[in-house]
Amino acid sequence: MTDTKEMLMKEIAKLSFALLETNLYLDGHPDNREALKYYDNMSKELKSKTEEYEKEYGPLTAMGSKNDKEWQWSTQKWPWQMED
């Protein structure tokens, strides 16, 4: 796995975790404007990093498969597989 690819995967994992935890927090504190702003910012950052990864390395999920010529999701290595 290239350094850039690994860095993007780690960033995506961190952002996903932050969003999940913030989502759980907001379940109990739905009016917390600071948490809502944080969630919005992390959500935008995750979308950006995911798009960057998928543009360079292919889809991370089946929903990220945007090629109308072939179904990339099942024809490439999975995101967590190491390259030889």
Side-chain angles (χ1 to χ4, degrees):
M1 188 177 295
T2 66
D3 288 340
T4 304
K5 185 176 183 180
E6 186 174 348
M7 181 189 72
L8 279 170
M9 284 295 296
K10 285 181 181 180
E11 189 65 24
I12 289 167
K14 285 185 218 178
L15 291 164
S16 295
F17 179 79
L19 278 170
L20 177 60
E21 289 296 310
T22 307
N23 177 254
L24 293 172
Y25 177 82
L26 285 166
D27 285 348
H29 306 85
D31 297 325
N32 185 317
R33 292 191 183 276
E34 192 173 322
L36 286 165
K37 185 177 178 182
Y38 178 81
Y39 184 88
D40 186 49
N41 289 337
M42 292 298 101
S43 182
K44 288 175 185 172
E45 185 67 19
L46 177 61
K47 182 180 181 201
S48 172
K49 293 294 181 185
T50 300
E51 287 173 352
E52 182 180 346
Y53 181 96
E54 289 180 340
K55 182 179 178 184
E56 186 67 31
Y57 305 108
L60 284 170
T61 66
M63 281 73 69
S65 190
K66 297 176 182 156
N67 187 335
D68 62 352
K69 304 232 186 309
E70 73 175 23
W71 185 245
Q72 292 178 324
W73 176 244
S74 62
T75 60
Q76 64 181 24
K77 288 188 176 195
W78 298 102
W80 55 86
Q81 289 178 317
M82 299 295 244
E83 293 183 23
D84 296 329

